Amino acid sequence: MDVMGDKATLFGTGRFVQSSHREEPRDETGEAADEAAEELRQRLAAEAGDVEAMSVLGAMLLRRGDLDGAEPHLRAATAAGDRAAANNLGVLLHQRGYADEAAGWWRIAAVAGSTAAAHALGRHHRERGDEPAAEYWLRQSAEQGHTLGAYALADLLEHRGDADGTERWMRAAAERGHREGAYRLARALDRKAARETDDDGVPLVAEAEQWYRQAAARGHRRAALHLGAILEKRGELKEAGRWYLTSAKDGEARAACALGFLLRDAGDTENAAVWWLRAAQDGDGNAANALGALHAERGETQTAERWYRAAMDAGDVNGAYNLGLLCAEQGRTAQAEQWYRRAAYAGHREAANALAILLLRAGDETGAEPWFSKAAEAGSVDAAFNLGILHAGRGEEHAALRWYERAAAAGHTEAALQVGMARLRDGDESEAERFLRCAAGGGSAEAAYRLATVLDARRPPEPAHELGEPVNRRSECEEWYERAASQGHRRAQVRVGMLAAARGDVVEAARWYREAAEAGSRNGAFNLGLLLAREGSEPEAAVWWTRAADAGHGRAALRLALVYARRGELAEGQRWADRAAALGPAAVTERATRLRDALRQELSA
């Protein structure tokens, strides 16, 4: 597999913006000839005694690495008072390991006004641990406009904790084109924005983006990574992909990983895997996890396990957690527990929650509770909810409610439902409604149903029409009933059917009753039977009443007893009357007993 990816394919998709900049081919042969000619010209001038030529020739030879050839020319120019030569002589001596002698020449050049020498001297003193002297010379260099001096001074001040001074000189370096200075200034602005509240950080974020962009344009791969992340968050995916690609090609593993996720979200899993592979081979644990998940989805569990292990070896604790999930899915419980423990001990909160669930299922409640607590304290919402269930199972309602409230505050739907129900039991209807609304809004059918019942009990009686006909207006409680019913909540379906029947919409009522009945609701079956009987379909009604009565519905059994009594099937009527009397409630028991006795007398007559 070509880990670099197919560049033509990546650009051909149109997902990424292509740079309009095209580098012109270099004529290296011509450049070499020009350089040789210039060197010859400077050499001839130097031999004729031109001090500037001596300095320039020495610098040329120094850049080429010809220290022996450069030194006599630089010494001669320095002796003649050339400060640039003195600075370069210091550089040459420093390269040869004569740091103290180099510092002497740098001092001479710096005093003569060389900003480069002042910078070099400041760096020399910092390496020696003499920070006051380092600051003095770096400041001399920075204040005279030397870019590297400004950056080095900012770095020194940052080490000392001087935030204002750091930002001032890092900004100066960045404004003068220092790409690392631009990147570090952007990072500092990012951190400052994160500490701000409300909209105060927005201008800082915008300025940070500008500096990331400048650094990235100058080839800073981490700046390109951060710029890509900003653009991706803003939804500008094409440009984000371009900067991720630029950074990844320069060797930034995190950018290759991010590019992989961008491609996956665009549906290009093949190229996503290519970039994840490149990032994973460079030691990115997140990319290794992504590869593991990709192979797990394809059913290639051995390959998935290998990549999860690679993620773990790269220091990504998610690798151990994912190995636990993989083993649990395969029924390898002992190995799953091992990997969950490893991740949990490393501080992975979801692994701690998963481990607790595993222990709880094995009957080890004592071992499970501390892991639930650890996960919940670390911020796992699911663990907080599970602790609530654990305490509720022991009858410790107060402790259970505390954990339910914690999970509900973090947006856990089922926890909000449990808090709402607890508030209902306590009689605090307004608080109950608040939590039930949260849970219902989060998709809980039970919460929607219970919220509807709260609102239903509160609404006033429907006003009568002037002709004596009821006026049925669609209420909020009906909307919540319908939401719960559409999610398959059987009691809500029965209630929606009743509301439809009250409006005279028999077809709609029958639809909801039938849906509830077929899902196992005995009330739905009973009400459907009533509706069918009223429409003249008593045989079909008897079928649904039989289903309801068999499920324990006393009124349905009583209806069947009456049906069979009218048909003259007295024994069958007596049997259902006995059943109704046993099922109740009290009013049904009373009527069923009277009917049974009457049928008994009829049969014995």
Side-chain angles (χ1 to χ4, degrees), residues 365-366 369 387-397:
E365 185 177 313
T366 304
E369 185 173 356
L387 271 174
I389 294 174
L390 199 66
H391 285 290
R394 296 173 186 163
E396 299 166 0
E397 298 298 335

Side-chain angles (χ1 to χ4, degrees), residues 430-583:
S430 61
E431 274 296 286
E433 181 183 343
R434 183 169 71 86
F435 281 101
L436 290 174
R437 283 187 184 277
C438 291
S444 170
E446 182 66 25
Y449 172 73
R450 290 181 179 272
L451 175 60
T453 60
V454 169
L455 298 173
D456 203 0
R458 187 187 298 165
R459 64 175 179 167
E462 293 288 353
H465 189 270
E466 62 180 1
L467 297 178
E469 298 177 358
V471 178
N472 292 294
R473 296 187 179 89
R474 185 177 177 80
S475 62
E476 186 187 3
C477 73
E478 188 170 355
E479 292 175 2
W480 286 113
Y481 279 134
E482 288 185 1
R483 181 180 294 194
S486 64
Q487 293 176 258
H489 194 285
R490 293 181 303 181
R491 284 177 293 169
Q493 288 169 343
V494 173
R495 186 61 184 157
V496 172
M498 292 171 66
L499 291 169
R503 289 196 304 268
D505 190 343
V506 176
V507 174
E508 184 73 359
R511 181 175 75 85
W512 285 112
Y513 287 152
R514 189 179 298 275
E515 195 165 330
E518 289 175 347
S521 169
R522 61 189 187 185
N523 285 329
F526 175 70
N527 286 359
L528 180 58
L530 289 178
L531 204 63
L532 291 166
R534 287 171 190 157
E535 295 298 310
S537 302
E538 189 174 85
E540 189 180 353
V543 172
W544 290 105
W545 284 333
T546 301
R547 182 181 291 195
D550 287 341
H553 198 288
R555 293 176 65 194
L558 179 58
R559 287 279 177 172
L560 284 170
L562 291 168
V563 167
Y564 284 111
R566 283 197 300 270
R567 290 178 184 174
E569 299 177 28
L570 303 184
E572 189 68 7
Q574 184 180 345
R575 185 175 73 82
W576 282 112
D578 278 334
R579 176 76 170 146
L583 291 173

Side-chain angles (χ1 to χ4, degrees), residues 314-327:
D316 192 323
V317 70
N318 284 311
Y321 174 59
N322 288 331
L323 273 171
L325 291 174
L326 192 66
C327 291

Side-chain angles (χ1 to χ4, degrees), residues 204-438:
L204 294 173
V205 171
E207 187 182 1
E209 182 183 341
Q210 292 175 3
W211 290 115
Y212 279 135
R213 195 175 289 278
Q214 288 199 28
R218 293 188 178 101
H220 197 292
R221 68 186 193 186
R222 283 173 295 163
L225 167 66
H226 285 283
L227 180 57
I230 289 170
L231 293 166
E232 182 182 5
K233 186 176 180 181
R234 204 160 63 213
E236 299 176 21
L237 302 184
K238 286 188 177 181
E239 191 179 0
R242 181 171 74 86
W243 287 113
Y244 282 148
L245 183 61
T246 299
S247 180
K249 288 169 69 177
D250 285 341
E252 182 60 53
R254 290 175 296 169
C257 180
L259 180 58
F261 282 111
L262 209 60
L263 288 165
R264 182 205 63 183
D265 293 343
D268 189 356
T269 54
E270 184 178 348
N271 274 310
V274 168
W275 288 103
W276 281 334
L277 178 60
R278 176 170 177 168
Q281 290 174 335
D282 287 341
D284 190 284
N286 194 23
N289 272 314
L291 279 173
L294 185 63
H295 287 289
E297 287 173 6
R298 294 172 178 172
E300 301 164 356
T301 55
Q302 288 185 336
T303 308
E305 184 168 340
R306 179 167 63 85
W307 282 114
Y308 287 148
R309 287 179 183 273
M312 189 173 58
D313 292 341
D316 192 323
V317 70
N318 284 311
Y321 174 59
N322 288 331
L323 273 171
L325 291 174
L326 192 66
C327 291
E329 288 172 2
Q330 295 172 338
R332 296 153 58 192
T333 308
Q335 292 97 322
E337 181 179 341
Q338 171 195 344
W339 293 118
Y340 284 150
R341 280 189 187 277
R342 180 163 180 171
Y345 277 122
H348 196 293
R349 66 189 188 190
E350 296 309 325
N353 181 57
L355 174 59
I357 292 171
L358 205 66
L359 293 170
L360 194 60
R361 286 175 178 167
D364 185 5
E365 185 177 313
T366 304
E369 185 173 356
W371 287 112
F372 277 137
S373 296
K374 185 173 182 179
E377 293 295 347
S380 170
V381 180
D382 287 334
F385 177 66
N386 289 334
L387 271 174
I389 294 174
L390 199 66
H391 285 290
R394 296 173 186 163
E396 299 166 0
E397 298 298 335
H398 182 72
L401 182 58
R402 187 176 74 251
W403 286 110
Y404 285 146
E405 287 176 335
R406 185 164 177 171
H412 196 287
T413 297
E414 291 303 311
L417 169 61
Q418 294 299 324
V419 176
M421 291 168 62
R423 293 286 182 260
L424 278 178
R425 287 193 297 271
D426 294 340
D428 190 348
E429 193 175 287
S430 61
E431 274 296 286
E433 181 183 343
R434 183 169 71 86
F435 281 101
L436 290 174
R437 283 187 184 277
C438 291

